Amino acid sequence: MVILSSDKKMAERIGKRRGHAPVMLTINTLKTTDQGIFFFQTGETIFTAKSIPPDCFTGPLLPKQKAQTIKPGKKVEEKLKKTAGTFIVDLESNNEKQKRHAGKKLRNEVGWKEDRKKIRKGKHTSRSA
């Protein structure tokens, strides 16, 4: 559900619950009702709708951003290392690890299952005896 308000101050309060810098969008209600979208009044100035199509609202213009071009090579790795939260996936090493462990059961993964089976078998035999 999309929460809407006819009061600008209330719309800002609702928007600040989701983020620090909310964006004010203006809904073209005639266009939305023509497309079969209905608004439900849930408060004095609060309305809800199931969805709002992209062609039925307007907002402020987006700020212009410079396009970043990254040249392939060592400079790319250097830039990625400097950026917080990024990493380079080494697919070759992952494939090698999977090949090494293929067919081998690790003790930690299976040990607890075997213990449970032994306990169940022990209890099962004591019941039937």
Side-chain angles (χ1 to χ4, degrees):
M1 297 295 283
V2 181
I3 301 171
L4 310 163
S5 178
S6 59
D7 181 35
K8 286 185 179 184
K9 288 183 181 182
M10 178 60 78
E12 284 181 24
R13 283 181 52 197
I14 293 169
K16 286 185 180 180
R17 291 180 185 173
R18 296 276 185 185
H20 297 291
V23 178
M24 187 74 63
L25 301 176
T26 304
I27 309 296
N28 186 339
T29 55
L30 292 176
K31 235 182 187 182
T32 54
T33 53
D34 288 344
Q35 292 186 16
I37 295 171
F38 299 101
F39 297 96
F40 303 98
Q41 189 168 6
T42 57
E44 197 171 311
T45 61
I46 298 175
F47 300 87
T48 59
K50 288 188 179 180
S51 65
I52 305 291
D55 62 333
C56 294
F57 63 85
T58 58
L61 295 176
L62 296 174
K64 292 183 180 180
Q65 296 179 349
K66 293 181 181 178
Q68 293 180 345
T69 57
I70 301 175
K71 296 178 184 177
K74 291 182 180 178
K75 291 183 180 179
V76 174
E77 292 178 11
E78 290 174 9
K79 286 185 178 182
L80 288 176
K81 287 180 182 177
K82 291 180 182 179
T83 306
T86 60
F87 61 92
I88 299 172
V89 177
D90 187 12
L91 296 175
E92 292 176 14
S93 66
N94 285 339
N95 288 335
E96 290 174 10
K97 288 178 185 176
Q98 288 176 353
K99 287 178 185 176
R100 273 189 277 148
H101 292 296
K104 292 182 181 178
K105 292 183 179 179
L106 299 175
R107 188 181 345 170
N108 293 341
E109 293 178 6
V110 181
W112 68 271
K113 288 182 182 179
E114 291 174 357
D115 293 341
R116 293 285 183 184
K117 287 178 184 177
K118 287 178 185 177
I119 292 170
R120 270 189 261 131
K121 286 181 181 179
K123 288 182 179 180
H124 181 69
T125 55
S126 64
R127 287 183 188 168
S128 61

